[in-house]
Amino acid sequence: EFMTRGAIHTLEHLMAEYIRDEMEGVIDLSPMGCRTGFYFTVCGYRTEEEIATYLMNVLKKVAVWDKPIPATTEEECGNYKDHNLEDAKAYAQKWVDGITQKGWNAF
């Protein structure tokens, strides 16, 4: 399954907004070119469990996002017209529900 461009782009903006509040040392959170997931780069050692906890917190926040998408002006974003908040929220909720029911290994 691949994600739509607008959904993955909005997820990038929202997740990048929150992940830096959740944990220190975040270098980058970027979508893969194939649109099947994200690259996540941090400075220092983190266990999978730590990262999973931070990402779950972020996904829960994204799933209920009710504000404008951050950094979507022409000056801030080279592809500022290509966003889809409803799809991004739906993916985040799908992952939260799936992870809660099946665990991280289901994805």
Side-chain angles (χ1 to χ4, degrees):
E1 180 181 354
F2 69 92
M3 294 180 269
T4 63
R5 284 189 321 260
I8 200 167
H9 190 201
T10 300
L11 281 164
E12 174 190 11
H13 279 238
L14 297 178
M15 290 170 60
E17 177 82 7
Y18 278 131
I19 195 65
R20 288 175 175 83
D21 294 339
E22 290 287 328
M23 68 184 290
E24 293 182 24
V26 174
I27 296 171
D28 188 39
L29 188 147
S30 301
M32 295 176 176
C34 58
R35 298 190 320 249
T36 58
F38 290 85
Y39 294 109
F40 185 49
T41 309
V42 297
C43 183
Y45 177 79
R46 300 289 195 289
T47 66
E48 289 180 21
E49 292 79 16
E50 286 177 281
I51 290 173
T53 298
Y54 293 129
L55 287 176
M56 179 61 100
N57 291 343
V58 168
L59 291 171
K60 286 177 180 177
K61 291 176 183 178
V62 170
V64 297
W65 185 266
D66 63 354
K67 298 176 225 163
I69 303 163
T72 56
T73 66
E74 188 174 2
E75 295 78 27
E76 297 170 305
C77 179
N79 201 9
Y80 67 99
K81 292 182 180 181
D82 192 11
H83 284 278
N84 188 320
L85 179 57
E86 292 310 311
D87 283 358
K89 290 169 59 173
Y91 277 114
Q93 189 63 58
K94 175 183 174 180
W95 295 329
V96 168
D97 292 344
I99 293 163
T100 301
Q101 294 171 5
K102 302 174 188 171
W104 283 96
N105 292 331
F107 292 90

